[in-house]
């Protein structure tokens, strides 16, 4: 069974994707950017959107097994570390940070996660 989860974002319909897909025992959350004036604000905003998608799938940050961070400037990653440590806490996932261009220069971080789907009752 495949469950597609939309966040209602304007680009989901324009581009043809959804915020998350629960399938094969996992919840795959698409790369997510956030709003804000700096990388930390955008990181927090992206994590809120991701958290909402995980919740709709019946999962949470404790279920995340993989996270990828994409930043146009790797030097901006370190200010996000305290936010990420707080969100993932005692359940840190495997992680990768990649320096690359994002869809718009105003975005300073994009985050995608894969979580273990909740067991079928």
């Amino acid at each position: 069974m495949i469950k597609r989860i939309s966040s209602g974002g304007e680009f989901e319909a324009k581009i043809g994707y959804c915020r998350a897909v629960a399938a094969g025992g996992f919840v795959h959350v698409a790369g997510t950017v956030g709003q804000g004036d700096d990388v930390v604000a955008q990181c927090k905003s992206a994590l809120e959107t991701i958290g909402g998608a995980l919740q709709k799938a019946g999962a949470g940050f404790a279920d995340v097994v993989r996270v990828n961070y994409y930043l146009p400037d790797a030097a901006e990653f370190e200010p996000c570390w305290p936010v990420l440590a707080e969100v993932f806490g005692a359940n840190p996932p495997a992680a990768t940070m990649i320096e690359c261009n994002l869809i718009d220069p105003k975005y300073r971080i994009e985050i995608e996660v894969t979580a273990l789907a909740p067991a079928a009752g």
Side-chain angles (χ1 to χ4, degrees):
M1 186 172 128
I2 297 174
K3 179 180 181 181
R4 290 178 171 81
I5 299 164
S6 173
S7 64
E10 66 175 302
F11 291 104
E12 291 177 24
K14 285 182 182 180
I15 297 173
Y17 77 97
C18 54
R19 177 62 42 214
V21 175
F26 291 94
V27 180
H28 304 273
V29 182
T32 303
V33 295
Q35 302 303 311
D37 294 331
D38 62 29
V39 69
V40 173
Q42 289 184 20
C43 180
K44 290 177 181 178
S45 176
L47 290 167
E48 287 176 19
T49 300
I50 291 167
L54 290 170
Q55 185 177 32
K56 288 179 182 177
F61 285 108
D63 301 304
V64 173
V65 296
R66 183 83 176 132
V67 60
N68 292 318
Y69 304 104
Y70 304 96
L71 292 93
D73 182 355
E76 291 187 321
F77 190 45
E78 189 170 354
C80 296
W81 293 357
V83 174
L84 301 171
E86 181 179 337
V87 167
F88 292 110
N91 303 293
T96 301
M97 191 286 297
I98 298 170
E99 184 178 61
C100 63
N101 290 325
L102 299 180
I103 196 164
D104 187 310
K106 71 181 177 183
Y107 297 121
R108 307 311 305 157
I109 188 168
E110 183 169 339
I111 304 169
E112 70 177 342
V113 305
T114 302
L116 191 60

